[in-house]
Structures are given as structure tokens and as C-alpha cells.
Amino acid sequence: MKNKMIFGFHAVTSRLRHEASSVEEIFVDATRQDGRMHDLIAAAKAVGVRVMPVDSARLDKIVGTRRHQGVIAFASQLSLARNLDELLDAVDGPPLLLILDGITDPHNLGACLRVADGVGAHAVIVPKDRAVGLNATAAKVASGAAETVPYITVTNLARTMRELKERDILLIGTTDDADKGLYEADFTGPAALVMGSEGEGMRRLTRETCDVLVGIPMFGSVESLNVSVASGVCLYEARRQRLAREA
């Protein structure tokens, strides 16, 4: 299996913590001698991962950007559930899923993964086409969530959504022109939150396949929220409802 590049302290530390055996080697900036770097090197050596000090120019060249924080790792792909049926069969309680349609910015994708992990969502589902993919930048922004949240890519998103309906999972889409508000939606049962791109929103077929369309109440001068912020608002409302039901 082809190795994957991971960079940034959060992403590399998280991989060492959760799946140290998957890390092949780590390259670090030889000039960086602060406590954070010492801790990472110590953690790597404790689990037998080779650490190679190199100059920062080499790190820049490997990543293609200077935003690596002086640490890059190469690791094998994790064996998180990649099959939706496998994942749903293993879920204990009502599933909570995040479906992203047309997200092309890796920073937005990484932030959405981070939110999904924070709220305890069971998976993030994306289409194979018209999506950025889980690249190194997205993994860095996710701050370790790329290692813990199943990221499932599907060939036909509308068909996958119909299959979720057959499992009695409610598809709740978000749009600015919805007749219902977010707080009117019922997330207490099996549910999937469907988010579109910040510019165009959900594609027509995605929108038509949703069971319910809701909008986030806006009280200021801006018309909409960034997709990762909107995902956080909606997913935490879902978690709030579920906690209230359990109380």
C-alpha cells in the first residue's frame, strides 16, 4: 500500500498516538530545538520510529509549502472503515453522518473533519468527483481527525443517499432558502447532515434527494457561514438534541 505524507505537529502526533505502527519515518527541521519538537522526537523514538533531521529547505520541497511546522511523516493508510455498509452495521445507536457535496477547498474539508470528530459523528461521506480529496493539507487542518473519522468516498452521491434512506436515515440538507429553520429539524434518530459548497450549495439532485431542507438562522449582515462553521453549528445542534433525549 502506498505511503501517505502527513505534516504538522497535530497530524503527526495524532498518528503516533493512535497508530504508531503505521508510521514509516519522520523528517524534522534540524534547526528547531524547542520543547514541542523534543517531545515529538521522544514520542517517535519511544515507539521505534526513525527520525531524520534535515534542513528546512528540503522540507519545503517535499511538501510544496512552508506550512509544515518543521515536521513531516510518511505512513501507510489507516484501516478505518471505508465501506458504508460495514460502518453502519457496526454503529451502536442512531448514526450521525456528515455528507459534503462539492467541497473543493482542503482547508474547509480539514475543518469539517475536525468538527465531525469533535461532535462524535460516525463518518464523513463525499463524492469521488467535484471534491478535493483527503490530501496532506486537509489532514493537517483536521488536527488528527483524519486519523479517527472514517472518510468514505462514493461514486454516486445521490444513489448513496437513497441507500441511506432505505436504512431509515433521515437526510437533512441545508440551504439559505429553506422554509424550515435548523432548530425545527429532528436529529434525535438516525440522521445525515448534507452540506453543499459555500458558493453553489448542494447540487440539484443532492438537494432533491434530501428528506428535509433547513436553514441556519442569520441575525447579522452576512448572508451565510463558511461550510465548516455551518457544519459545526448543525452537528452540535444534533448532539444537543441527542443529549437532551438521553437525559
Side-chain angles (χ1 to χ4, degrees), residues 87-109:
L87 181 139
L88 292 174
D89 288 342
V91 168
D92 183 19
L96 178 60
L97 309 172
L98 174 61
I99 298 175
L100 301 175
D101 184 25
I103 306 303
T104 57
D105 184 339
H107 296 88
N108 279 337
L109 174 60

Short mmCIF file of all heavy atoms in Angstrom, two decimals, residues 87-109:
data_model
loop_
_atom_site.label_atom_id
_atom_site.label_comp_id
_atom_site.label_asym_id
_atom_site.label_seq_id
_atom_site.Cartn_x
_atom_site.Cartn_y
_atom_site.Cartn_z
N LEU A 87 -19.58 0.17 8.02
CA LEU A 87 -19.59 1.16 9.09
C LEU A 87 -20.94 1.20 9.80
O LEU A 87 -21.02 1.15 11.03
CB LEU A 87 -19.27 2.54 8.52
CG LEU A 87 -19.23 3.68 9.55
CD1 LEU A 87 -18.08 4.61 9.27
CD2 LEU A 87 -20.55 4.47 9.54
N LEU A 88 -22.03 1.26 9.02
CA LEU A 88 -23.36 1.39 9.62
C LEU A 88 -23.74 0.14 10.41
O LEU A 88 -24.42 0.24 11.44
CB LEU A 88 -24.40 1.68 8.53
CG LEU A 88 -24.26 3.06 7.87
CD1 LEU A 88 -25.23 3.17 6.70
CD2 LEU A 88 -24.50 4.17 8.86
N ASP A 89 -23.29 -1.01 9.96
CA ASP A 89 -23.60 -2.25 10.69
C ASP A 89 -22.94 -2.27 12.06
O ASP A 89 -23.40 -2.95 12.98
CB ASP A 89 -23.13 -3.46 9.88
CG ASP A 89 -24.02 -3.70 8.66
OD1 ASP A 89 -25.14 -3.17 8.62
OD2 ASP A 89 -23.56 -4.42 7.73
N ALA A 90 -21.84 -1.50 12.20
CA ALA A 90 -21.09 -1.51 13.46
C ALA A 90 -21.48 -0.38 14.41
O ALA A 90 -21.04 -0.35 15.56
CB ALA A 90 -19.59 -1.41 13.16
N VAL A 91 -22.32 0.55 13.95
CA VAL A 91 -22.69 1.70 14.77
C VAL A 91 -23.62 1.27 15.91
O VAL A 91 -24.59 0.54 15.69
CB VAL A 91 -23.37 2.80 13.92
CG1 VAL A 91 -24.00 3.87 14.81
CG2 VAL A 91 -22.35 3.44 12.99
N ASP A 92 -23.31 1.74 17.10
CA ASP A 92 -24.15 1.48 18.27
C ASP A 92 -25.01 2.71 18.52
O ASP A 92 -24.52 3.78 18.87
CB ASP A 92 -23.27 1.19 19.49
CG ASP A 92 -24.08 0.85 20.72
OD1 ASP A 92 -25.27 0.49 20.56
OD2 ASP A 92 -23.54 0.93 21.84
N GLY A 93 -26.31 2.58 18.32
CA GLY A 93 -27.21 3.72 18.46
C GLY A 93 -27.49 4.35 17.11
O GLY A 93 -27.03 3.88 16.07
N PRO A 94 -28.25 5.44 17.10
CA PRO A 94 -28.61 6.08 15.83
C PRO A 94 -27.40 6.72 15.15
O PRO A 94 -26.69 7.53 15.79
CB PRO A 94 -29.66 7.12 16.23
CG PRO A 94 -29.39 7.40 17.66
CD PRO A 94 -28.88 6.11 18.25
N PRO A 95 -27.13 6.42 13.90
CA PRO A 95 -25.98 7.02 13.21
C PRO A 95 -26.15 8.53 13.07
O PRO A 95 -27.26 9.05 12.94
CB PRO A 95 -26.00 6.35 11.83
CG PRO A 95 -26.85 5.13 11.99
CD PRO A 95 -27.84 5.46 13.05
N LEU A 96 -25.01 9.22 13.08
CA LEU A 96 -24.96 10.65 12.77
C LEU A 96 -23.86 10.83 11.73
O LEU A 96 -22.68 10.60 12.02
CB LEU A 96 -24.67 11.48 14.02
CG LEU A 96 -24.54 13.00 13.80
CD1 LEU A 96 -25.83 13.58 13.21
CD2 LEU A 96 -24.18 13.71 15.11
N LEU A 97 -24.24 11.21 10.52
CA LEU A 97 -23.31 11.30 9.40
C LEU A 97 -23.24 12.72 8.88
O LEU A 97 -24.19 13.50 9.01
CB LEU A 97 -23.76 10.37 8.27
CG LEU A 97 -24.06 8.91 8.66
CD1 LEU A 97 -24.68 8.19 7.48
CD2 LEU A 97 -22.80 8.22 9.13
N LEU A 98 -22.11 13.05 8.26
CA LEU A 98 -21.94 14.34 7.59
C LEU A 98 -21.65 14.06 6.12
O LEU A 98 -20.67 13.38 5.79
CB LEU A 98 -20.79 15.13 8.21
CG LEU A 98 -20.43 16.45 7.51
CD1 LEU A 98 -21.61 17.43 7.52
CD2 LEU A 98 -19.20 17.09 8.15
N ILE A 99 -22.51 14.58 5.25
CA ILE A 99 -22.33 14.43 3.80
C ILE A 99 -21.91 15.78 3.24
O ILE A 99 -22.60 16.79 3.46
CB ILE A 99 -23.62 13.95 3.13
CG1 ILE A 99 -24.03 12.57 3.66
CG2 ILE A 99 -23.47 13.92 1.61
CD1 ILE A 99 -25.37 12.08 3.13
N LEU A 100 -20.79 15.81 2.53
CA LEU A 100 -20.27 17.04 1.95
C LEU A 100 -20.34 16.95 0.43
O LEU A 100 -19.72 16.07 -0.18
CB LEU A 100 -18.82 17.26 2.39
CG LEU A 100 -18.58 17.37 3.90
CD1 LEU A 100 -17.09 17.46 4.20
CD2 LEU A 100 -19.31 18.59 4.47
N ASP A 101 -21.06 17.86 -0.18
CA ASP A 101 -21.24 17.84 -1.63
C ASP A 101 -20.51 19.02 -2.27
O ASP A 101 -20.89 20.17 -2.10
CB ASP A 101 -22.74 17.91 -1.97
CG ASP A 101 -23.00 17.78 -3.46
OD1 ASP A 101 -22.15 17.19 -4.17
OD2 ASP A 101 -24.05 18.27 -3.92
N GLY A 102 -19.44 18.73 -3.00
CA GLY A 102 -18.77 19.78 -3.76
C GLY A 102 -17.79 20.62 -2.97
O GLY A 102 -17.56 21.78 -3.31
N ILE A 103 -17.19 20.07 -1.93
CA ILE A 103 -16.20 20.82 -1.14
C ILE A 103 -14.84 20.68 -1.84
O ILE A 103 -14.29 19.58 -1.91
CB ILE A 103 -16.11 20.31 0.30
CG1 ILE A 103 -17.50 20.31 0.95
CG2 ILE A 103 -15.14 21.16 1.10
CD1 ILE A 103 -18.19 21.66 0.95
N THR A 104 -14.31 21.78 -2.34
CA THR A 104 -13.07 21.73 -3.12
C THR A 104 -11.88 22.37 -2.41
O THR A 104 -10.76 22.29 -2.91
CB THR A 104 -13.27 22.44 -4.47
OG1 THR A 104 -13.71 23.79 -4.24
CG2 THR A 104 -14.33 21.72 -5.32
N ASP A 105 -12.10 22.98 -1.27
CA ASP A 105 -11.02 23.61 -0.51
C ASP A 105 -10.54 22.66 0.58
O ASP A 105 -11.32 22.27 1.45
CB ASP A 105 -11.54 24.91 0.11
CG ASP A 105 -10.46 25.70 0.85
OD1 ASP A 105 -9.43 25.09 1.22
OD2 ASP A 105 -10.64 26.92 1.05
N PRO A 106 -9.26 22.25 0.55
CA PRO A 106 -8.78 21.31 1.57
C PRO A 106 -8.86 21.85 2.99
O PRO A 106 -9.00 21.08 3.94
CB PRO A 106 -7.33 21.05 1.14
CG PRO A 106 -6.94 22.23 0.31
CD PRO A 106 -8.19 22.64 -0.39
N HIS A 107 -8.76 23.18 3.15
CA HIS A 107 -8.88 23.76 4.49
C HIS A 107 -10.29 23.58 5.03
O HIS A 107 -10.48 23.26 6.21
CB HIS A 107 -8.50 25.25 4.45
CG HIS A 107 -7.07 25.50 4.08
ND1 HIS A 107 -6.67 25.62 2.77
CD2 HIS A 107 -5.96 25.61 4.83
CE1 HIS A 107 -5.36 25.82 2.74
NE2 HIS A 107 -4.90 25.81 3.99
N ASN A 108 -11.30 23.75 4.16
CA ASN A 108 -12.68 23.52 4.59
C ASN A 108 -12.91 22.06 4.92
O ASN A 108 -13.57 21.73 5.92
CB ASN A 108 -13.65 23.96 3.49
CG ASN A 108 -13.90 25.46 3.48
OD1 ASN A 108 -13.71 26.13 4.49
ND2 ASN A 108 -14.31 25.99 2.35
N LEU A 109 -12.37 21.17 4.10
CA LEU A 109 -12.54 19.74 4.36
C LEU A 109 -11.90 19.36 5.68
O LEU A 109 -12.51 18.66 6.51
CB LEU A 109 -11.93 18.92 3.23
CG LEU A 109 -11.92 17.40 3.46
CD1 LEU A 109 -13.33 16.86 3.65
CD2 LEU A 109 -11.22 16.68 2.30
#
